[in-house]
Amino acid sequence: MGRPVIPLKMTEEERKELNAWLRRRQMPAAEQQRARMVLLSTEGLPGRVIAERVGVTAETVGKWRKRFEQFRVAGLTDVSMAIYFDPPLANKIDPPFIV
């Protein structure tokens, strides 16, 4: 038997935003996939089950759970992570897009 699963906690506002991502046609598929992983994580499902449903590895699920816990919804977007990992990029992006 593995470790006990602790459901990810999120606000109702965060849940609404991530569900909106899933319905948005212009949303990048990778970001929709991340939203799906995080939303399933709030249901208390093990990472391997989420991974099977979404089509990724359990390690990938863990990575995005941690990213959400640390940076919340902003951490699931490609733009915010580019700024986090490449600070000079922050100077090239208009201020409203910096989270």
Side-chain angles (χ1 to χ4, degrees), residues 10 13-14 16 21 28 35 38 44 52 58-59 63-64 69 71 73 75 82-84 97:
M10 72 172 54
E13 177 119 351
E14 290 169 329
K16 285 179 184 177
W21 284 21
V38 169
E52 288 172 13
E59 291 78 14
K63 169 187 172 177
W64 290 107
E69 288 173 330
F71 299 106
V73 173
I83 292 169
Y84 177 73
F97 289 84

Side-chain angles (χ1 to χ4, degrees), residues 4-69:
V5 178
I6 300 170
L8 195 61
K9 296 188 188 298
M10 72 172 54
T11 67
E12 190 58 34
E13 177 119 351
E14 290 169 329
R15 182 178 304 281
K16 285 179 184 177
E17 184 171 355
L18 293 179
N19 278 311
W21 284 21
L22 297 178
R23 292 188 302 273
R24 200 173 299 149
R25 295 175 118 189
Q26 296 298 320
M27 196 75 188
E31 292 178 9
Q32 286 181 324
Q33 187 179 57
R34 295 170 197 159
R36 203 170 287 113
M37 284 185 265
V38 169
L39 287 167
L40 288 170
S41 293
T42 65
E43 297 176 14
L45 298 171
R48 63 178 171 68
V49 172
I50 295 169
E52 288 172 13
R53 287 190 186 181
V54 179
V56 297
T57 65
E59 291 78 14
T60 300
V61 173
K63 169 187 172 177
W64 290 107
R65 276 182 58 107
K66 287 178 189 168
R67 190 80 55 86
F68 178 81
E69 288 173 330

